[in-house]
Every structure is written in structure tokens, then in C-alpha cells.
Amino acid sequence: MTLQQARADRIEEELWTLSRFSVEGPGVTRLTYTPEHAAAREVIVAAMQRTGLSVQEDALGNIIGRREGSDPALPAIAFGSHFDSVRNGGMFDGTAGVVCALEAARVLQESGYVNRHPLEVIAIVEEEGTRFSSGMLGGRAIAGLVSDADLDTLVDEDGVTVREAATAFGLEPGELRTAARTRDDLRAFIELHIEQGPILEQEKVEIGVVTGIVGVRAFRITVEGRSDHAGTTPMHLRQDALVPAALMVREINRFVNEIADGTVATVGHLTVTPGGLNQVPGGVEFTLDLRSPHEESIRLLVDRIEAMVAEVAAAAGVEAAVNGFFALSPVGLSPVVVDRVRDAASELGFTHRDITSGAGHDSMFIAQITDVGMVFVPSRAGRSHVPEEWSDFDDLRKGTDVVLHVVTALDR
Ligand SMILES: [Zn+2]
């Protein structure tokens, strides 16, 4: 049987509709368990119902639209993404994957496709961690990685817990166990997402075949010197904390440039105390965000950075410490699904390349329980998490056609 093509005009219309569910201000701000979330939920549920899907919400509010298959013994094949946003983000991050999954379900219905496996469109909550400072909460719940205790320890900036907010939203967060899936009931998950980086656009490639997701390490590096009067303390008697800290930042940058294997490092926040014009800096604290597709590179870099920080501090006569506070290993996606994504792009005549995701996604957790693949579409100028975020609707249509091909290939 031949499938019809996905339609860019329907993808466009639905994305604009969902983009309006945002608090006032530039771009899209749609936080979990808010009125904006509720409005988006309503539209997504209605779209699923129109497509003949039976709709359920799990304990945390992930929306699952399901179409039973001809063989009731088979596990489901699912596709989707998240529909929350960062503050003042764009209208494509996450939501594009949900809208394209809805479009894929429509095409299957209109083409009269008879599926063997149950098919599911999944719209996931709280991926960004904007409200509860805990990224990929919805995806982790699907992977069975959220504990009952998390519901009470994760709070928003007003001190409201996940349990309280989800309950007020009409959910039953205590039923977490029912949100957790296993390989026995979920055969595969395919996520279409915007690239959020510049590679596809720069190389004029239509489809990114995601082979893996980078590992992340986050550190706080502190340098302790001594604060003194900026006018009366001679240079050779100072314990200025900022000068060695600046050297550390430069050295980290140099190390990572030397590796040149896709590893990136960012010092994004730096605090100088006491922070006065006429005071010698007594203390510096800066963050380090380290990401790499290669666990080995991360390990080597961390060793090298720790040694360098100790050396630079000793030479400057100050104290320094490197404290890690977040670690996530790189995730390789399932070759079974990745190969099918690549084949689908080729068969459809789209230019494609393998790519590593530099951002975290729900898929990295769902990959712990089943076969997962991701399809990237180009982002204009690589911009994301900003109001200017943009992907062309026709590129999203191509990505949807790839998802359709992968789903039906896995279903056979
Ligand atoms: Zn996203």
C-alpha cells in the first residue's frame, strides 16, 4: 500500500494554534500544569480524537493517543515529543515533534493503513524542567525513573511540589507506576525534533539521523584568594582570585579545542566577590558545562581540568576546588531504529547525515527501556530557546514523512 504524504499546511496551522498558548511576552512560555498547558492539552486531545485515537493521560500528564493494531499480542510503536517550553522560547522546540506526530497519525488514518502493532502518539510534559528545575521529568516517568519521593522533593519557585501541582491539574501523580513503560508494551519510540544547532542548515542537509545524545557534566569551580584594598595593596602582595580563574577559563577552552571530537565546554556564569571596583577579588565561583558524545573524552578532560586547576591555583597562591553537581552519560540510540531512519531518508530522496544531539531529550531516558530513534530537521541559523527559533514547515513535513516510513517499516 502507498502512504499519502504528510501536509506542511496542516503542520503549520496546528503549530501556530499551539504557539498561542503562552503567557504574555516575547516567544512562547508554556510551563507545566498551568492554564497555558491546559489549553494546549485540550487542542492535542481533540486532534487525537479526530484522528480516531483513544486518549489517555498518565500519572504526570503525558498524553497518549492510541490506535490498536491487528495483532493484540504485539507491543506498541510510539512517536511524539514534548509540549512544554522554556521561558520566552520558540514555538518549535518539542511542540513541532508533537504536531508532526499528530500529522503522521492523520496520514496513516487517511491512507487506510492497517497496523499490526498498536500505534501511539505521545505528547510529553515537563521536558525542559522550566517549572520544577528537573529536566525530562515526563520522559523519565515513561522510563520508570521517577520515584514517589521525587513528587514531593521537586518544587517550583513558589515551593509548590510536583504532587500538589499535578493533583490540582486533575491528575493522579501517585499512580506513577502506571506511567512506566517496558519493552514488553513499547517496541520503539521515534522522536522528531528541531536540531537546535546550525549544522544541517549550514550543510544544506534536509534530515539529521540522530545516532546518539551527548553526555553532560556540570561543575562549580571555586577559587579562594583574599580581598584587599585595590589602591594600597602592592601587586606582589595580592591573592587576587580572578586572575588565576581567568587563566583556568582560557585553559579549559584550549583543552577542548585540542580534542576537536565534538566535545564542547562552556563557562556560562561567573561570580566575583566582593565585586567592587576598588576591591581586589577575594573569591570567584564559575560554572562549567561539559558535553561530549564520548564518555572517554569527558573522563580525560575532567582529569586534565582538575590537574590544571590545582596547578594554576598553587602557582597563584590561592585555593581552588572543582565540584561536580550533575552527570549524565552519553546515550547511543538503537541501531535498529537509526538504520531505519537513514534508510527512510534515502528512500524518500532527502539529503541526510548522521548527527549527535548536543541537547538532552526525553529520548535519552526512553532509550533505557526500548529502541529509540530521533529525526532532526534544520533550525534557521541554529537558533533555539529564543523567540526567533524557526524551522520551515516543509522541512517538518519531510521529517514527518521519514517518521511515517520508520513507523511502517518497524510495523512490518
Ligand atoms: Zn525539546
Side-chain angles (χ1 to χ4, degrees):
M1 71 148 304
T2 42
L3 283 180
Q4 294 172 17
Q5 252 197 6
R7 275 175 44 187
D9 62 319
R10 293 195 295 211
I11 291 169
E12 172 169 6
E13 192 190 333
E14 210 157 44
L15 265 169
W16 282 119
T17 300
L18 287 166
S19 75
R20 286 193 283 274
F21 306 131
S22 164
V23 297
E24 287 287 310
V28 174
T29 303
R30 184 164 57 245
L31 271 52
T32 307
Y33 311 142
T34 60
E36 297 76 37
H37 174 181
R41 158 168 84 168
E42 204 173 304
V43 165
I44 292 166
V45 167
M48 286 175 171
Q49 285 168 341
R50 274 199 307 277
T51 316
L53 305 175
S54 64
V55 182
Q56 278 198 323
E57 262 182 327
D58 72 17
L60 289 187
N62 294 317
I63 310 171
I64 301 133
R66 182 173 163 110
R67 171 177 168 172
E68 295 303 333
S70 59
D71 185 346
L74 292 174
I77 296 169
F79 41 106
S81 190
H82 65 95
F83 65 106
D84 62 321
S85 82
V86 296
R87 285 196 170 82
N88 305 118
M91 62 185 262
F92 294 89
D93 179 0
T95 308
V98 173
V99 165
C100 290
L102 291 169
E103 174 63 12
R106 267 190 297 268
V107 171
L108 290 169
Q109 186 194 37
E110 291 166 356
S111 306
Y113 180 77
V114 180
N115 44 302
R116 291 172 62 230
H117 291 255
L119 300 183
E120 294 181 2
V121 173
I122 307 186
I124 301 175
V125 298
E126 190 66 3
E127 190 269 351
E128 302 288 2
T130 314
R131 176 154 185 196
F132 297 103
S133 304
S134 178
M136 296 163 272
L137 189 67
R140 282 188 286 134
I142 293 170
L145 297 170
V146 179
S147 72
D148 201 61
D150 291 336
L151 300 177
D152 301 310
T153 50
L154 294 174
V155 292
D156 69 9
E157 58 189 22
D158 297 322
V160 180
T161 66
V162 171
R163 190 190 302 279
E164 289 163 348
T167 304
F169 200 68
L171 300 166
E172 294 177 47
E175 299 298 310
L176 255 184
R177 260 172 299 107
T178 60
R181 308 292 295 266
T182 65
R183 180 172 288 277
D184 292 337
D185 65 47
L186 193 59
R187 167 70 187 79
F189 179 68
I190 301 113
E191 180 172 16
L192 178 151
H193 203 283
I194 59 167
E195 181 200 343
Q196 303 181 276
I199 295 170
L200 297 178
E201 185 189 63
Q202 256 181 23
E203 299 184 1
K204 298 191 168 39
V205 170
E206 291 163 309
I207 296 292
V209 180
V210 184
T211 53
I213 301 174
V214 294
V216 185
R217 293 284 187 86
F219 299 89
R220 258 180 222 102
I221 299 176
T222 54
V223 183
E224 287 296 329
R226 200 184 66 215
S227 179
D228 282 300
H229 194 292
T232 59
T233 318
M235 294 306 280
H236 70 282
L237 293 179
R238 294 180 180 203
Q239 282 177 273
D240 185 325
L242 182 56
V243 175
L247 181 55
M248 291 169 193
V249 173
R250 202 199 67 187
E251 286 291 273
I252 290 167
N253 188 270
R254 187 170 68 83
F255 293 169
V256 178
N257 275 309
E258 277 174 13
I259 298 182
D261 67 345
T263 302
V264 292
T266 307
V267 173
H269 191 265
L270 187 145
T271 319
V272 181
T273 47
L277 167 75
N278 55 3
Q279 292 170 298
V280 174
V284 171
E285 181 180 289
F286 61 95
T287 58
L288 169 62
D289 176 295
L290 209 58
R291 301 182 190 218
S292 177
H294 314 289
E295 184 74 26
E296 185 58 17
S297 298
I298 294 181
R299 221 183 349 258
L300 289 172
L301 255 178
V302 171
D303 286 351
R304 205 173 164 196
I305 288 169
E306 280 174 344
M308 175 274 292
V309 165
E311 205 175 300
V312 169
V318 297
E319 299 288 324
V322 180
N323 298 302
F325 66 92
F326 183 76
L328 213 56
S329 294
V331 174
L333 297 183
S334 158
V336 178
V337 186
V338 172
D339 289 350
R340 290 220 155 89
V341 172
R342 203 182 290 112
D343 292 348
S346 296
E347 281 161 26
L348 289 160
F350 300 146
T351 52
H352 59 86
R353 60 160 281 165
D354 287 4
I355 192 166
T356 305
S357 173
H361 295 286
D362 291 309
S363 279
M364 66 197 300
F365 289 102
I366 300 175
Q368 296 188 19
I369 56 154
T370 192
D371 289 324
V372 169
M374 290 191 77
V375 178
F376 272 1
V377 296
S379 291
R380 183 183 289 170
R383 306 286 310 279
S384 184
H385 284 187
V386 291
E388 293 81 9
E389 181 180 273
W390 189 263
S391 290
D392 285 332
F393 299 112
D394 200 50
D395 285 338
L396 292 170
R397 189 268 305 168
K398 291 172 189 165
T400 307
D401 282 334
V402 170
V403 170
L404 277 163
H405 263 63
V406 174
V407 169
T408 51
L410 290 170
D411 188 43
R412 276 195 287 274

